[in-house]
Amino acid sequence: MKRPRILMADDHAIVLAGLRKLVEAEGEVVGMVEDGRTLVDMAQQLRPDIVLLDISMPLLNGLDAARQLTKLVPESKLIFLTMHATPTYATEAFKAGAAGYLIKRSAAVELKQAIQAVMRGQHYMTPLITKDVLAATLQSQDGQPSKPLVTSLTQRQREVLQLVAEGKGTKTIASILNISVKTVEFHKFRIMGELNLHSTAELIKYAIAEGLVSVST
Amino acid sequence: MKRPRILMADDHAIVLAGLRKLVEAEGEVVGMVEDGRTLVDMAQQLRPDIVLLDISMPLLNGLDAARQLTKLVPESKLIFLTMHATPTYATEAFKAGAAGYLIKRSAAVELKQAIQAVMRGQHYMTPLITKDVLAATLQSQDGQPSKPLVTSLTQRQREVLQLVAEGKGTKTIASILNISVKTVEFHKFRIMGELNLHSTAELIKYAIAEGLVSVST
DNA sequence: TGATGATCTCAGGGAAACCCTGAGGTAGCG
DNA sequence: CGCTACCTCAGGGTTTCCCTGAGATCATCA
């Protein structure tokens, strides 16, 4: 197989230098950039086989950079390597034209697998989040597949979730909503099943991430 | 100069693997771990010359790990390598016994400089934030020291709080810390009293606001 | 119209956590 | 030495957690 020419983009310079050592085992690193705008410029000049990029970058974020690159340099395969492990970011990445999605918690060997997969014309997603991504897409077949998962909850479930995240006890929530404690417990149970969460702590962090409640209170 | 034995800690596996390649040019990498608690264990066994560690790590954050390591393995020099570029974290790190502080935006060459500096018994701080650190120090001379961190809690209380906020159950926390469930409950009780909080939900939001844990994980 | 699916409602019940009180052990310090 | 701070743990009543089963309502669809 042809040795791919690779352009790398990450705003963490020291991390980028380290990753280069790993990537050099799989291909030729033709450039390294530290912001999205420079990435778009360099990609047009270098026309690399693979662009390895982060999402969080100055001047232009990785998702918007990807949307431009799919039009400007359609022959380059895009592989995201980011700390974001949420299904929302992953689906956005693929909608933006990505061929691969890794997270920084992924094992180093996944980098090799992803590069080889996209060079074969295949897609690659880190197994660490495939389950969540599938769950998210299945639940939103009709509507936009990239909306936050909170929309898959019912009205009542969102009410309960917010009160839980605000620190209200089960009994308090029951009296606020004029339902029994058992019903509140049931809603929490269903919410956790729906979102694939397994503790009240995760429930609260989810509500915070979705903006249902604020941390400053 | 003696070739230093280095232990590395970062919860981003793929980043860690890349950094290893850089570090191997400066010393012998004797181990790599992905959480703070394993770091403390391994450091006691390996007694490395240098510990290169992140702040954000599961089970035990890097700052608390450093506080333990300065007592348990005082001969090991601690170099932080983190994405946190705020003076607060940097000063906390040095108060916790660090000999070096880098951020992930630092240039790769700084890694070499930091390692060599601490091996000579000197300290190293990335020039990217020295100005801010000095400004913060001067500002805190006259007025109150600006410290939003969880310093009012004891070491043990912070450990429990982090695990609670990570979504671990009381029984799980007890086994991780090798103490009884009752002791874990007691710590939570004292933490809530100390912080004037009244539910696990508020506890979690507090930990998030203080940066003990991240919502995106 | 009857069937179906989605939702809300609630109970049972064992396990676990919550909340508080009391109390012993250890380390540092004046 | 006494004092303080901290960690440790038990007891025990109350509450919540987690899951299963089940009836009621309502909109939609065949």
Side-chain angles (χ1 to χ4, degrees):
Chain A
M1 182 180 295
K2 173 193 165 191
R3 180 173 168 84
R5 298 173 61 252
I6 304 175
L7 175 59
M8 302 177 62
D10 194 315
D11 60 329
H12 296 321
I14 202 167
V15 172
L16 183 60
L19 289 174
R20 175 182 188 140
K21 300 289 187 184
L22 297 180
V23 172
E24 278 173 345
E26 307 304 321
E28 177 193 359
V29 177
V30 295
M32 298 199 297
V33 300
E34 295 179 22
D35 69 85
R37 240 165 248 291
T38 309
L39 170 62
V40 174
D41 292 343
M42 292 300 291
Q44 290 179 266
Q45 293 179 32
L46 299 171
R47 323 294 292 189
D49 300 306
I50 291 176
V51 174
L52 189 65
L53 73 164
D54 197 356
I55 287 181
S56 309
M57 284 190 294
L59 303 185
L60 182 67
N61 71 77
L63 290 173
D64 286 329
R67 293 186 185 99
Q68 296 190 21
L69 289 177
T70 50
K71 294 176 182 173
L72 297 171
V73 197
E75 72 269 29
S76 292
K77 305 287 188 181
L78 307 180
I79 301 177
F80 279 91
L81 173 53
T82 172
M83 56 177 286
H84 294 100
T86 61
T88 307
Y89 279 106
T91 53
E92 281 298 317
F94 282 105
K95 271 182 23 181
Y101 195 90
L102 299 171
I103 62 176
K104 291 189 174 175
R105 284 182 207 270
S106 297
V109 67
E110 287 191 48
L111 188 56
K112 175 180 186 169
Q113 295 172 347
I115 290 174
Q116 294 179 350
V118 301
M119 285 303 286
R120 286 193 300 265
Q122 302 171 346
H123 283 61
Y124 184 90
M125 178 182 298
T126 176
L128 296 180
I129 62 168
T130 43
K131 183 189 62 177
D132 299 326
V133 172
L134 288 179
T137 46
L138 287 180
Q139 276 159 8
S140 51
Q141 288 285 359
D142 46 350
Q144 299 94 328
S146 66
K147 295 183 78 173
L149 280 180
V150 74
T151 54
S152 71
L153 299 179
T154 67
Q155 173 70 26
R156 206 54 156 172
Q157 287 170 342
R158 270 196 302 277
E159 294 180 47
V160 173
L161 174 57
Q162 174 164 353
L163 293 169
V164 168
E166 283 176 359
K168 306 285 194 299
T170 307
K171 194 186 288 187
T172 306
I173 297 173
S175 72
I176 289 176
L177 297 178
N178 277 314
I179 56 180
S180 81
V181 167
K182 283 298 185 180
T183 304
V184 175
E185 291 181 356
F186 174 82
H187 281 305
K188 288 179 65 173
F189 171 67
R190 291 293 296 272
I191 293 168
M192 288 166 54
E194 193 76 18
L195 300 177
N196 195 27
L197 304 177
H198 302 91
S199 70
T200 305
E202 290 179 281
L203 218 55
I204 292 167
K205 289 200 279 186
Y206 177 87
I208 292 171
E210 291 296 334
L212 267 181
V213 295
S214 156
V215 288
S216 56
T217 305
Chain B
M1 182 180 294
K2 174 195 165 192
R3 181 174 167 83
R5 298 173 61 252
I6 303 176
L7 175 59
M8 303 178 62
D10 194 314
D11 60 328
H12 296 320
I14 202 167
V15 172
L16 184 61
L19 289 173
R20 176 183 187 140
K21 299 289 186 182
L22 298 179
V23 173
E24 278 173 344
E26 307 305 321
E28 177 194 0
V29 176
V30 295
M32 299 199 296
V33 300
E34 295 179 22
D35 69 86
R37 208 156 284 284
T38 308
L39 170 62
V40 174
D41 292 341
M42 292 300 292
Q44 290 179 266
Q45 293 180 31
L46 299 172
R47 323 292 293 191
D49 300 305
I50 291 177
V51 174
L52 189 66
L53 73 165
D54 197 356
I55 286 182
S56 307
M57 284 190 294
L59 301 186
L60 183 67
N61 69 79
L63 290 174
D64 284 327
R67 294 187 182 98
Q68 295 191 19
L69 288 177
T70 50
K71 293 178 182 172
L72 296 171
V73 196
E75 72 268 30
S76 292
K77 306 287 187 180
L78 308 180
I79 301 177
F80 279 90
L81 173 53
T82 172
M83 55 177 286
H84 293 100
T86 62
T88 307
Y89 279 107
T91 52
E92 283 295 320
F94 283 104
K95 283 199 330 194
Y101 194 89
L102 300 171
I103 63 175
K104 290 190 173 174
R105 284 181 207 269
S106 297
V109 67
E110 288 191 49
L111 189 56
K112 176 180 186 171
Q113 295 171 347
I115 290 175
Q116 294 179 349
V118 302
M119 285 303 287
R120 287 194 301 266
Q122 302 171 345
H123 282 62
Y124 184 90
M125 179 182 297
T126 176
L128 297 180
I129 62 168
T130 44
K131 184 189 63 177
D132 299 328
V133 172
L134 290 178
T137 319
L138 291 178
Q139 216 169 21
S140 62
Q141 289 287 352
D142 44 359
Q144 312 296 341
S146 59
K147 52 113 202 152
L149 287 178
V150 269
T151 44
S152 68
L153 299 180
T154 68
Q155 169 78 25
R156 205 52 155 174
Q157 287 170 344
R158 272 195 306 275
E159 293 181 42
V160 173
L161 175 56
Q162 173 169 353
L163 293 169
V164 168
E166 284 178 1
K168 306 283 191 300
T170 308
K171 192 188 291 186
T172 305
I173 296 173
S175 73
I176 289 176
L177 298 178
N178 278 314
I179 56 180
S180 81
V181 167
K182 283 298 184 181
T183 305
V184 176
E185 291 181 355
F186 174 81
H187 281 304
K188 287 181 66 172
F189 172 66
R190 293 292 296 272
I191 293 168
M192 288 166 57
E194 188 74 23
L195 301 177
N196 195 28
L197 304 177
H198 302 90
S199 70
T200 304
E202 290 179 282
L203 219 52
I204 292 168
K205 290 198 284 184
Y206 179 86
I208 291 171
E210 292 296 332
L212 262 182
V213 294
S214 152
V215 288
S216 59
T217 314

